[in-house]
Amino acid sequence: MPPSDAKRELLPGMLEMLVLKTLSVQPMHGYGIAQQLLRQSQDVIRVEEGSLYPALQRMRQKGWIKAEWGRTPNNQRARYYTITAAGTRALGEQEEGFAQLLAAVRRVMRTA
């Protein structure tokens, strides 16, 4: 199977980190978050509704994000998500943990 056809899956917890990072720039609705991740990853990270909305709900329950109803630019009603102070702290912790994991994977991959 060519690398371009290989299935790419996010590691557990990575979706939350990416969503928090996206919301740290500006509040967005769910569809906007998915589109932003797709754009910024150059069409590599595709988040399905079945993964995104349960993750958003989990993050709301943890107090990492808050949600309120608003209107999209084309005047549709949508729930907009905003990162909280607790979410900003969680993002920092997750980024640090991910950096450590990435460094460890790189060390393993360099082994002969």
Side-chain angles (χ1 to χ4, degrees):
M1 176 182 302
S4 61
D5 293 339
K7 186 171 182 175
R8 296 176 190 98
E9 293 183 16
L10 296 176
L11 295 170
M14 189 175 289
L15 176 57
E16 286 87 354
M17 180 181 66
L18 295 173
V19 169
L20 289 172
K21 186 65 174 180
T22 301
L23 293 177
S24 72
V25 177
Q26 68 181 31
M28 290 186 184
H29 52 75
Y31 180 77
I33 293 168
Q35 292 302 302
Q36 183 69 5
L37 290 173
L38 189 61
R39 270 193 305 276
Q40 285 190 304
S41 70
Q42 297 178 351
D43 294 329
V44 173
I45 299 174
R46 293 182 186 272
V47 182
E48 303 297 328
E49 285 182 29
S51 299
L52 179 60
Y53 289 100
L56 289 168
Q57 182 62 24
R58 284 191 306 273
M59 289 187 284
R60 282 183 62 208
Q61 291 172 344
K62 292 177 182 178
W64 293 353
I65 62 173
K66 62 182 183 176
E68 57 186 46
W69 289 99
R71 293 275 174 192
T72 64
N74 60 356
N75 205 30
Q76 290 183 327
R77 190 168 183 250
R79 186 173 277 187
Y80 278 80
Y81 299 92
T82 305
I83 192 169
T84 64
T88 301
R89 285 190 300 277
L91 175 59
E93 292 167 6
Q94 290 179 3
E95 283 180 307
E96 184 177 323
F98 180 71
Q100 291 172 357
L101 175 63
L102 188 57
V105 169
R106 283 187 177 137
R107 287 192 299 272
V108 170
M109 295 305 293
R110 280 190 282 234
T111 329

